[in-house]
């Protein structure tokens, strides 16, 4: 179900009418994961197919275009079997990071400050693998950086590092994942403008 502002079709109902109550996106798809930005939405079906709809402002729909919009859910390129997708950027509308069922992370959209984690700052309009060959079980995407967690509790971060938000004891932006310092065993990560984590001993 979705509702709210629909200027670019981000509600997914084949039109740009604002909705004041929940409505279902066009297509009859069954989603098990969703993530919404200001002008874009993402969903993952029970079969792991990723969909996007709304405004494309630099490849962030992941459908191999760099501008325009889609008013209905459109399959993301690449045939990746996703576990979840998270919207990132200013208002969650500049880029996305997804994680596959095999634990591989992918990024697409604007790559400023290395936020796609693929060792580049060039925007891409379809998913590209995050560097490092990490096996991830959880991701959280903020305004300009991502936190990710392995099944063994090691946290990694990439992207903008203003004020040290990557936790690697530096303020250097990172285009590829770097381990968060301290050797902690984490069970939960959350990225917004800053970073928050929970260790397994505090749950």
């Amino acid at each position: 179900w979705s509702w709210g502002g629909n200027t670019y079709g981000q509600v997914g109902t084949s039109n740009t009418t604002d909705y004041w109550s929940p409505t279902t996106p066009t297509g009859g798809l069954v989603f098990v994961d969703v993530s919404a930005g200001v002008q874009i939405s993402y969903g993952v079906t029970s079969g792991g197919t990723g969909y996007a709809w709304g405004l494309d402002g630099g490849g962030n729909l992941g459908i191999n275009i760099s501008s325009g919009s889609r008013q209905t859910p459109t399959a993301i390129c690449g045939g990746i079997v996703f576990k979840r997708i998270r919207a990132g950027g200013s208002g969650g509308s500049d880029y996305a990071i997804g994680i596959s069922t095999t634990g591989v992370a992918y990024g697409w959209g604007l790559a400023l400050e290395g936020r796609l984690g693929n060792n580049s700052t060039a925007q891409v309009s379809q998913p590209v693998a995050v560097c490092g060959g990490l096996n991830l079980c959880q991701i959280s995407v903020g305004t300009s950086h991502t936190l990710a967690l392995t099944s063994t509790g090691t946290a990694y971060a990439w992207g903008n590092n203003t004020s040290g938000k990557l936790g690697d004891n530096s303020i250097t932006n990172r285009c590829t994942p770097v381990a968060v310092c301290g050797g902690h065993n984490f069970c939960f990560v959350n990225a917004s403008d800053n970073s928050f984590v929970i260790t397994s001993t505090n749950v």
Side-chain angles (χ1 to χ4, degrees):
W1 298 86
S2 59
W3 59 93
N6 196 27
T7 304
Y8 299 100
Q10 60 264 42
V11 174
T13 51
S14 304
N15 57 51
T16 56
T17 301
D18 293 347
Y19 285 84
W20 297 0
S21 60
T23 187
T24 53
T26 301
L29 298 166
V30 178
F31 293 109
V32 296
D33 180 81
V34 292
S35 180
V38 172
Q39 300 165 335
I40 193 168
S41 303
Y42 300 98
V44 176
T45 67
S46 56
T49 302
Y51 286 83
W53 56 100
L55 178 67
D56 193 301
N60 51 320
L61 283 177
I63 61 173
N64 203 25
I65 64 172
S66 58
S67 63
S69 64
R70 293 291 185 272
Q71 297 176 7
T72 60
T74 304
I76 293 169
C77 294
I80 300 160
V81 182
F82 285 105
K83 182 177 181 180
R84 60 179 58 93
I85 296 171
R86 293 292 175 262
S90 178
S93 296
D94 296 330
Y95 70 107
I97 303 291
I99 184 172
S100 74
T101 54
T102 59
V104 179
Y106 294 84
W108 59 95
L110 297 181
L112 305 173
E113 302 148 331
R115 61 186 68 175
L116 298 186
N118 67 335
N119 200 28
S120 173
T121 56
Q123 72 180 48
V124 295
S125 57
Q126 54 188 321
V128 293
V130 172
C131 292
L134 299 170
N135 187 348
L136 303 172
C137 64
Q138 186 184 142
I139 55 171
S140 182
V141 183
T143 303
S144 57
H145 77 296
T146 295
L147 294 178
L149 193 65
T150 69
S151 58
T152 58
T154 301
Y156 288 85
W158 61 89
N160 178 277
N161 202 13
T162 301
S163 304
K165 67 180 73 174
L166 299 187
D168 68 336
N169 198 30
S170 83
I171 54 172
T172 302
N173 296 339
R174 302 295 184 182
C175 295
T176 59
V178 291
V180 174
C181 291
H184 302 291
N185 189 340
F186 296 112
C187 67
F188 177 81
V189 293
N190 183 272
S192 55
D193 284 334
N194 295 307
S195 301
F196 303 90
V197 295
I198 298 175
T199 62
S200 57
T201 56
N202 289 331
V203 177

